[in-house]
Amino acid sequence: MIKKKILTTVKDRKTLFLDRDGVINIRLLNDYVCSPNEFVFCPNAREALRMLAPLFDYIFVVTNQQGVGLSRMSEHDLEEVHQYMMQEIGKAGGRIDQIYSCTDLQNKPDNCRKPGTKMAEQALNDFPDIKFSHAIMVGDTESDMLFGRTMGMCCVYIGSEPIETTTDYRFDSLYDFALYLST
Ligand SMILES: [Mg+2]
């Protein structure tokens, strides 16, 4: 029954927004992924992205990367990390259509970080045919779920810790989410 529900839901959900750290790659505790060799894919994440590719018109990454604002890494370092990520996802048969990174500091007034919705607005600006009511947000934190909720997206939570924001679905990993949609 639940399966039927999510499949019906996803049929009309043409845009997928993905958080990066903790969803695609293993999140470093209290640290930032500053170079490609620190970027470790979550188990089966590449396979998950291959499975998700034909199900969505658009797949975007929306990621807070304050490490740049804190001078822990440069814009160029972040670019290199993302080039590596895209290359590996491509090799596995998946795709990301656009990456939106917010490098602002948390305390910067009017910053673009999630749970604020500036990155979603930027995506709409770049791809005017996307509809947030037909989009899914997948993330592993409260701020991801708030971001999705505010924009009226279906919210899929990856993780086991309780969070306050109401989510629509919960899975242990991106792979479990992809598996559920594909089988
Ligand atoms: Mg995360």
Side-chain angles (χ1 to χ4, degrees):
M1 197 62 177
I2 296 169
K3 186 169 181 176
K4 197 176 169 190
K5 195 175 163 195
I6 195 167
L7 284 175
T8 310
T9 307
V10 86
K11 215 173 132 196
D12 294 323
R13 304 281 172 167
K14 297 299 189 191
T15 304
L16 183 63
F17 285 87
L18 298 172
D19 170 46
R20 196 196 82 182
D21 299 320
V23 172
I24 297 175
N25 61 288
I26 292 171
R27 186 173 161 184
L28 300 179
L29 271 185
N30 304 316
D31 207 354
Y32 301 95
V33 174
C34 298
S35 69
N37 60 16
E38 291 171 347
F39 186 96
V40 178
F41 279 93
C42 290
N44 299 318
R46 277 167 285 198
E47 172 66 2
L49 285 159
R50 184 190 67 75
M51 291 156 75
L52 293 167
L55 300 177
F56 293 91
D57 293 336
Y58 297 116
I59 301 179
F60 302 130
V61 166
V62 279
T63 179
N64 288 350
Q65 293 298 330
Q66 190 180 212
V68 175
L70 290 167
S71 301
R72 293 288 312 278
M73 64 179 136
S74 64
E75 289 275 1
H76 179 72
D77 294 333
L78 182 63
E79 185 62 32
E80 278 192 348
V81 169
H82 285 162
Q83 269 174 15
Y84 169 74
M85 176 181 83
M86 297 287 258
Q87 205 176 10
E88 289 297 305
I89 291 170
K91 271 195 241 169
R95 66 168 218 283
I96 301 289
D97 297 299
Q98 192 67 267
I99 301 174
Y100 296 98
S101 310
C102 178
T103 58
D104 289 344
L105 289 174
Q106 210 162 355
N107 59 10
K108 185 190 169 202
D110 208 28
N111 68 64
C112 58
R113 290 169 60 82
K114 295 172 286 183
T117 55
K118 288 215 168 97
M119 289 192 279
E121 286 149 26
Q122 185 60 51
L124 180 62
N125 194 54
D126 297 342
F127 302 88
D129 57 330
I130 62 174
K131 288 190 177 66
F132 294 113
S133 58
H134 291 66
I136 298 178
M137 173 67 203
V138 180
D140 72 329
T141 63
E142 188 89 56
S143 93
D144 297 318
M145 297 297 95
L146 264 174
F147 169 86
R149 271 276 93 84
T150 308
M151 296 310 293
M153 300 187 212
C154 171
C155 294
V156 174
Y157 176 57
I158 302 292
S160 51
E161 283 172 32
I163 55 169
E164 280 177 24
T165 310
T166 314
T167 59
D168 299 296
Y169 302 97
R170 192 202 70 78
F171 294 93
D172 288 332
S173 65
L174 184 65
Y175 181 65
D176 283 355
F177 169 62
L179 207 58
Y180 210 66
L181 296 184
S182 311
T183 52

